[in-house]
């Protein structure tokens, strides 16, 4: 296709400015389309990506939790909902020493209070750095020293940097490291060694009306690995074996498969919605351009009478649509960037499923993709109607054609 | 400036001013109603500034004189800048990064005040470009009113 001469481009701009209502309506539609395409596809990508490696992120084959606290512990593991629950001391010892497991590492959960005492209500997790195999792999940088008394490691959503301080209850803690984004509860948690966690419990008891047991052997969850790969038979065996000890074995695989089922339904819903939006946009743009053809037939007939070719008319319509779609898609991208940057924390808080924020290059690729899709959709709609434009103009030139 | 553009700009400013005044109270609510918090006093200050902006926007709908419109848009622009500075610098908000004050109220207020600055800036600039200058210089160098 020959490029349009400058005069034709000016003409297209003037035509669009002459119909401000129609132009702004179509621009808004294209802005909405671009915004929905980018945000919908980034949401789907972040959720799929979050789920893909969620199994490895949980790190252990099973999490041993007190019976009756399965829901609470799943909430704490997946979304970091602050919770406080404990295993019986004798059971902890029995599981850690059991030959059923190749690895076992205890963790102690303390929910900080949503009050003036603390910088933010988060889940404090005490862990044993010597036996740990679920938290350390997510450190952004290797710890230079042992995790000392009063030292903490923060999840990626916690607003603190290495070397900074955070206050929980009446104590200031030194941030020594930060975890990578895991897309799960770890992102909203703060980690410390067991000694620091026990000191935090003493602090907690000073502030909270509900007192926690202040024992040195207090444990909330044990992360365990078995020699064999996960099987439901093994899980049933373990649950039966330790039933009288008041514990439940939550299998990471099972947690992921439950999540996967609910997530795939949600992702299908998002995909269908985006497909419907694309179809509606093509349909609306085609209908609007076809309807306006009729009211513009005199204008087109004048162009033809002045010697314009059919292909020139087609190019004019395509140029008008291209301008509208570039302006609309750019507006959609600007709205997306403003809302995504401004409300990032709120969005991440509201997504309670595993979600990994796409990086800069990936986001850029989706933005360019959204822009290209909007441009393609509008040009497709314009091509359908431009085929009819020349015929309408020629018919209008005949006697009685108007 | 065409009449419909002036009315549309005035109505936009009224809506944005109303959002600044009432948003922190009813729509994107602040996280604390305790008088000891920065968020509470930020919301109070914005109630006043938003109210003034609503009046300025309403005046733009009814005033047709170009010079008056330039003054009104300049006043709206300065109030918009003040509305941006109050939650971010002058009074501030709750410091907890996960509170609704930080995740919802502050970004919403920033978007509204920046839109207000842009709208009033564009209106003022377009009026300044199209309006007649207040005076002109003659060939002898004397400045005379138009």
């Amino acid at each position: 296709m020959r490029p349009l001469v400058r005069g034709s481009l000016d003409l297209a701009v003037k035509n669009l400015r002459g119909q401000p209502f129609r132009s702004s309506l179509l621009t808004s539609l294209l802005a909405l389309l671009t915004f929905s395409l980018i945000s919908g596809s980034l949401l789907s990508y972040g959720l799929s990506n979050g789920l893909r490696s969620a199994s490895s992120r949980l790190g252990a084959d099973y999490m041993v939790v007190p019976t009756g606290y399965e829901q609470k512990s799943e909430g704490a593991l997946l979304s970091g909902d602050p919770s406080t629950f404990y295993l019986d001391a004798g059971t902890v010892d029995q599981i850690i020493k059991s030959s059923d497991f190749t690895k076992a590492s205890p963790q102690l959960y303390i929910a900080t209070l949503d009050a003036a005492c603390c910088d933010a209500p988060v889940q404090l997790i005490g862990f044993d750095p010597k036996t740990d195999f679920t938290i350390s792999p997510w450190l952004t940088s290797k710890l230079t020293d042992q995790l000392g008394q009063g030292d903490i490691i923060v999840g990626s959503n916690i607003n603190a940097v290495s070397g900074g301080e955070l206050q929980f209850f009446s104590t200031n803690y030194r941030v020594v490291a930060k975890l990578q984004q895991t897309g799960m509860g770890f992102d909203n948690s703060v980690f410390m060694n067991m000694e620091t966690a026990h000191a935090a419990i003493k602090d907690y008891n000073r502030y909270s009306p509900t007192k926690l047991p202040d024992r040195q052997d207090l444990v909330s969850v044990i992360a365990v690995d078995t020699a064999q790969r996960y099987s439901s038979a093994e899980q049933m065996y373990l649950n039966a074996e330790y039933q009288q000890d008041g514990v439940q074995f939550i299998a990471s695989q099972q947690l992921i498969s439950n999540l996967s089922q609910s997530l795939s339904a949600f992702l299908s819903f998002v995909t269908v919605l985006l497909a419907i939006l694309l179809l509606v946009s093509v349909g609306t743009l085609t209908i609007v351009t076809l309807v306006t053809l009729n009211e513009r037939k005199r204008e087109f007939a004048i162009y033809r009478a002045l010697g314009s070719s059919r292909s020139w008319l087609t190019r004019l319509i395509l140029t008008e649509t291209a301008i509208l779609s570039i302006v609309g898609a750019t507006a959609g991208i600007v709205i997306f960037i403003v809302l995504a940057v401004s409300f990032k924390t709120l969005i991440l808080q509201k997504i309670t499923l595993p979600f990994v924020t796409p990086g800069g290059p990936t986001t850029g690729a989706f933005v360019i993709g959204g822009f290209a899709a909007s441009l393609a959709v509008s040009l497709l709609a314009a091509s359908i109607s431009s085929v009819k434009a020349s015929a309408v103009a020629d018919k209008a030139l005949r006697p009685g054609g108007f | 400036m065409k009449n419909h553009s002036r009315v549309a700009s005035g109505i936009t400013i009224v809506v944005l001013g109303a959002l600044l005044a009432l948003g922190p109270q009813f729509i994107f609510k602040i996280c604390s109603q305790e008088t000891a918090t920065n968020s509470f006093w930020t919301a109070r200050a914005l109630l006043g500034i938003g109210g003034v902006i609503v009046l300025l926007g309403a005046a733009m709908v009814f005033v047709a004189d170009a010079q008056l419109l330039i003054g009104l848009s300049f006043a709206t622009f300065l109030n918009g800048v003040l509305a941006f500075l109050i939650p971010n610098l002058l009074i501030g908000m709750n410091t907890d990064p996960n509170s609704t004050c930080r995740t919802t109220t502050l970004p919403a207020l920033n978007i509204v005040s920046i839109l207000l600055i842009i709208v009033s800036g564009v209106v003022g600039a377009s009026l300044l470009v199209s309006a007649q200058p207040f005076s002109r210089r003659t060939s002898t160098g004397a400045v005379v009113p138009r």
Side-chain angles (χ1 to χ4, degrees):
Chain A
M1 189 186 286
R2 275 185 298 143
L4 272 173
V5 289
R6 191 178 142 68
S8 310
L9 193 65
D10 287 346
L11 188 63
V13 173
K14 276 182 187 157
N15 283 343
L16 293 174
R17 290 182 73 171
Q19 294 286 341
F21 182 71
R22 191 186 71 203
S23 301
S24 48
L25 195 77
L26 291 178
T27 310
S28 309
L29 178 70
L30 285 160
L32 176 72
L33 175 69
T34 315
F35 175 80
S36 311
L37 280 177
I38 297 171
S39 45
S41 49
L42 275 173
L43 182 70
S44 305
Y45 177 84
L47 287 172
S48 318
N49 215 19
L51 192 65
R52 200 170 299 137
S53 55
S55 183
S56 66
R57 260 184 270 127
L58 278 173
D61 288 344
Y62 299 96
M63 302 302 277
V64 187
V65 301
T67 305
Y69 285 90
E70 295 89 338
Q71 290 273 333
K72 261 193 161 185
S73 41
E74 280 183 21
L77 285 168
L78 295 176
S79 36
D81 300 336
S83 334
T84 307
F85 48 88
Y86 301 103
L87 288 166
D88 182 65
T91 312
V92 174
D93 210 39
Q94 189 190 346
I95 289 172
I96 288 176
K97 287 178 181 161
S98 167
S99 58
D100 286 336
F101 312 109
T102 52
K103 288 179 191 168
S105 182
Q107 293 177 1
L108 174 58
Y109 285 22
I110 311 157
T112 69
L113 308 171
D114 188 4
C117 71
C118 314
D119 279 346
V122 293
Q123 179 81 65
L124 300 185
I125 300 180
F127 72 105
D128 180 4
K130 286 187 199 120
T131 56
D132 172 64
F133 60 99
T134 58
I135 296 159
S136 312
W138 295 101
L139 283 169
T140 47
S141 56
K142 258 193 148 29
L143 280 176
T144 46
D145 292 317
Q146 290 284 320
L147 202 59
Q149 179 78 28
D151 290 347
I152 54 170
I153 299 170
V154 294
S156 67
N157 287 350
I158 305 289
N159 192 24
V161 288
S162 283
E165 282 198 341
L166 276 181
Q167 188 198 354
F168 296 108
F169 312 116
S170 61
T171 311
N172 281 326
Y173 294 88
R174 190 167 67 100
V175 181
V176 292
K178 197 159 189 167
L179 294 190
Q180 290 169 30
Q181 191 187 24
T182 64
M184 299 202 304
F186 281 2
D187 294 342
N188 303 316
S189 306
V190 169
F191 305 88
M192 51 186 64
N193 67 21
M194 284 295 191
E195 291 73 36
T196 311
H198 288 299
I201 285 183
K202 284 194 176 72
D203 248 7
Y204 178 100
N205 285 342
R206 261 179 246 140
Y207 279 90
S208 174
T210 51
K211 305 294 175 202
L212 300 179
D214 186 11
R215 299 193 321 257
Q216 283 304 307
D217 53 4
L218 208 59
V219 165
S220 306
V221 164
I222 308 173
V224 293
D225 262 3
T226 53
Q228 292 156 347
R229 290 186 62 178
Y230 161 79
S231 67
S232 53
E234 185 188 51
Q235 189 184 9
M236 278 170 69
Y237 160 76
L238 289 171
N239 275 330
E241 182 77 9
Y242 292 89
Q243 193 181 15
Q244 73 276 14
D245 297 314
V247 295
Q248 278 289 316
F249 286 74
I250 299 179
S252 306
Q253 286 277 346
Q254 199 182 26
L255 208 63
I256 298 306
S257 98
N258 289 345
L259 259 177
S260 175
Q261 277 173 9
S262 56
L263 202 61
S264 62
F266 175 74
L267 290 179
S268 312
F269 178 69
V270 171
T271 313
V272 170
L273 266 185
L274 288 179
I276 290 173
L277 187 67
L278 267 174
L279 285 176
V280 167
S281 303
V282 174
T284 313
L285 287 165
T286 312
I287 290 167
V288 169
T289 37
L290 279 175
V291 167
T292 50
L293 276 186
N294 203 37
E295 69 184 52
R296 293 180 74 184
K297 65 183 176 185
R298 285 161 200 259
E299 179 192 336
F300 290 145
I302 291 167
Y303 293 144
R304 291 284 284 136
L306 288 172
S308 305
S309 63
R310 283 179 164 217
S311 62
W312 184 89
L313 264 188
T314 306
R315 283 206 303 278
L316 180 72
I317 293 169
L318 288 179
T319 309
E320 286 180 16
T321 314
I323 293 168
L324 279 182
S325 51
I326 288 169
V327 173
T330 309
I333 291 171
V334 169
I335 293 169
F336 167 76
I337 292 171
V338 168
L339 292 182
V341 170
S342 306
F343 295 103
K344 187 183 170 190
T345 318
L346 181 70
I347 295 166
L348 289 175
Q349 271 179 6
K350 296 288 173 192
I351 300 176
T352 49
L353 293 164
F355 184 85
V356 173
T357 316
T362 315
T363 309
F366 276 108
V367 166
I368 293 168
F371 184 89
S374 292
L375 195 66
V377 160
S378 52
L379 288 180
L380 174 71
S383 333
I384 295 169
S385 50
S386 66
V387 172
K388 220 182 159 192
S390 308
V392 169
D394 288 355
K395 195 179 165 193
L397 279 176
R398 290 183 207 134
F402 285 117
Chain B
M1 191 178 216
K2 284 179 186 168
N3 261 345
H4 64 263
S5 308
R6 178 174 52 81
V7 172
S9 311
I11 290 172
T12 309
I13 288 170
V14 168
V15 172
L16 292 173
L19 275 175
L20 272 182
L22 304 176
Q25 314 285 344
F26 302 109
I27 307 165
F28 31 87
K29 284 183 187 174
I30 49 166
C31 49
S32 168
Q33 291 296 339
E34 289 172 31
T35 51
T37 60
N38 287 352
S39 308
F40 175 83
W41 291 111
T42 287
R44 273 290 176 93
L46 288 175
L47 194 61
I49 293 173
V52 171
I53 292 170
V54 168
L55 292 177
L56 291 169
M60 284 176 85
V61 173
F62 298 107
V63 171
D65 183 79
Q67 309 299 347
L68 273 176
L69 281 173
I70 291 172
L72 288 172
S73 44
F74 187 60
T76 312
F77 180 85
L78 290 181
N79 275 293
V81 173
L82 189 60
F84 179 80
L85 291 178
I86 280 177
N88 288 288
L89 197 72
L90 298 176
I91 300 179
M93 295 288 262
N94 186 315
T95 51
D96 176 6
N98 293 316
S99 66
T100 50
C101 280
R102 287 266 159 193
T103 60
T104 313
T105 316
L106 184 63
L109 285 175
N110 283 344
I111 290 174
V112 173
S113 53
I114 289 170
L115 276 177
L116 201 61
I117 291 168
I118 293 171
V119 171
S120 56
V122 168
V123 170
S126 67
L127 283 165
L128 271 176
V129 168
S130 60
Q132 292 286 317
F134 293 101
S135 59
R136 68 187 172 90
R137 195 175 287 272
T138 64
S139 56
T140 58
V143 176
V144 295
R146 277 198 179 260

